[in-house]
Amino acid sequence: MIKIDYNDLNRNFHKRYGNLILTEYQVDILNKYSIDYNNFNSINELIYYLEDYLNNCDNDELEIVSSEIAEYNYYHNTNK
């Protein structure tokens, strides 16, 4: 029988954090690298900051978070 850890699943649901919609996992990674998501007025500002940050260093965790945030933003906030 497969045991499901619901606390782990909840870390991947999007929630509102100030002006941004992020997952708990994304918030944890941003906090880990001292990136205060509360300083950003929009998700686009955060994406721009992360891309600029990643141009100056190599960080797989932040790369994943940046991609997730950009993808969520595209599918939920872009008129198609």
Side-chain angles (χ1 to χ4, degrees):
M1 178 178 212
I2 298 173
K3 190 172 185 177
I4 298 173
D5 184 356
Y6 290 102
N7 290 329
D8 222 21
L9 289 175
N10 287 334
R11 291 177 43 76
N12 293 314
F13 286 120
H14 287 86
K15 301 174 196 165
R16 182 167 294 280
Y17 292 90
N19 294 327
L20 309 176
I21 297 176
L22 303 166
T23 66
E24 189 177 322
Y25 167 77
Q26 293 165 344
V27 168
D28 289 345
I29 298 301
L30 293 172
N31 286 335
K32 180 178 178 179
Y33 294 99
S34 301
I35 299 171
D36 187 0
Y37 56 86
N38 291 309
N39 290 337
F40 300 95
N41 292 320
S42 72
I43 200 74
N44 289 328
E45 285 182 22
L46 176 58
I47 292 168
Y48 179 79
Y49 177 84
L50 289 173
E51 292 302 316
D52 188 50
Y53 185 93
L54 289 167
N55 283 333
N56 298 314
C57 71
D58 187 30
N59 186 308
D60 291 337
E61 284 182 316
L62 280 177
E63 183 82 33
I64 290 168
V65 167
S66 177
S67 294
E68 289 174 349
I69 292 170
E71 182 177 350
Y72 182 86
N73 185 50
Y74 175 77
Y75 285 108
H76 290 89
N77 297 324
T78 304
N79 292 330
K80 296 171 215 56

